[in-house]
Amino acid sequence: MKKISALIVSTLLITSIHAQKRKTNSSSSFIVEDKKENTNFSCPDFRNLKWGSLKESLMMNGSLINFQRANVKNDTTAYFIPDDNMVIGTVVCRNIYYYFNAANKLVKVKLVVPKIHKGEMKYILVSKFEDPTNIYDLANGYQTVWNNIDEVRLVMTYFEDPIDFLTVEFMSDYDLNESKKINKSVDDF
């Protein structure tokens, strides 16, 4: 009987504590949630290569970058950097590809990551940009999307077997973003 009474008292105490926490946190959690909805992150570049920069002007370690066209089936617009650093945090990428629009401006970077690093890569992205804004089921995997970054749309695509990699893509619509910046700063009215 004493055990049942102690259990009831413990349950009531825990319930009371949780109810009290909800009361005291309800206004602050609303504020936090409100901030989360309005929080946009910034990603103005990838490894100091600014989105929208001309391919011919991009430099690394004081020298112009010698982008090489990648030999990738069905992806003739991919470039790579010889001797590029393939490490992102603790993740060793298989490939890092750079993409340029018709005006030769940097608009996309794609990381090809072995699936064994999926947890680490997701941890890096969530630590930097919080939880994804959307997750989509695909026929052979899923896509995790972050639409809360001002300069880019971030997409991590995970493929089921037999594919042994996932991709992480930073996609910038540089021209649209520049137009938005100009139009947000209008002071004519």
Side-chain angles (χ1 to χ4, degrees):
M1 188 69 167
K2 285 183 181 181
K3 286 183 180 181
I4 294 173
S5 296
L7 182 62
I8 291 171
V9 170
S10 296
T11 304
L12 289 173
L13 183 60
I14 290 170
T15 305
S16 173
I17 290 170
H18 284 292
Q20 198 62 11
K21 279 186 177 180
R22 270 188 246 123
K23 278 184 185 174
T24 57
N25 287 341
S26 64
S27 61
S28 63
S29 69
F30 175 76
I31 292 170
V32 169
E33 287 176 18
D34 188 46
K35 283 183 181 178
K36 189 174 181 179
E37 282 181 24
N38 295 326
T39 300
N40 271 13
F41 295 91
S42 184
C43 182
D45 57 43
F46 179 83
R47 293 185 169 170
N48 295 320
L49 304 177
K50 295 199 181 303
W51 305 116
S53 295
L54 286 171
K55 182 169 70 170
E56 300 80 23
S57 69
L58 289 170
M59 298 183 77
M60 193 176 284
N61 301 325
S63 301
L64 287 174
I65 299 172
N66 181 19
F67 288 99
Q68 300 291 310
R69 191 172 297 274
N71 187 14
V72 181
K73 280 185 198 177
N74 305 325
D75 198 355
T76 60
T77 61
Y79 289 83
F80 71 97
I81 300 173
D83 300 323
D84 202 357
N85 178 5
M86 293 296 176
V87 179
I88 306 286
T90 59
V91 175
V92 178
C93 299
R94 180 182 297 166
N95 301 97
I96 300 177
Y97 296 116
Y98 301 85
Y99 297 81
F100 301 89
N101 65 12
N104 267 342
K105 293 182 178 182
L106 180 65
V107 293
K108 178 177 163 184
V109 172
K110 179 178 180 179
L111 311 175
V112 179
V113 178
K115 281 187 351 186
I116 61 168
H117 296 301
K118 175 186 141 198
E120 293 167 275
M121 181 53 74
K122 187 163 185 192
Y123 178 81
I124 291 168
L125 299 174
V126 169
S127 294
K128 202 144 174 78
F129 305 115
E130 290 186 353
D131 289 330
T133 54
N134 299 90
I135 298 175
Y136 300 102
D137 282 329
L138 304 175
N140 190 30
Y142 64 89
Q143 279 190 329
T144 308
V145 179
W146 285 261
N147 285 318
N148 58 342
I149 308 169
D150 285 334
E151 299 83 1
V152 295
R153 181 170 185 253
L154 175 58
V155 177
M156 183 172 83
T157 306
Y158 178 83
F159 303 100
E160 298 295 334
D161 293 328
I163 300 170
D164 68 341
F165 63 89
L166 61 101
T167 61
V168 177
E169 297 177 90
F170 295 85
M171 296 170 279
S172 171
D173 189 344
Y174 177 76
D175 294 327
L176 177 62
N177 290 338
E178 285 303 296
S179 174
K180 283 181 181 178
K181 283 180 192 174
I182 292 167
N183 290 335
K184 281 182 180 178
S185 66
V186 166
D187 62 359
D188 296 314
F189 46 88

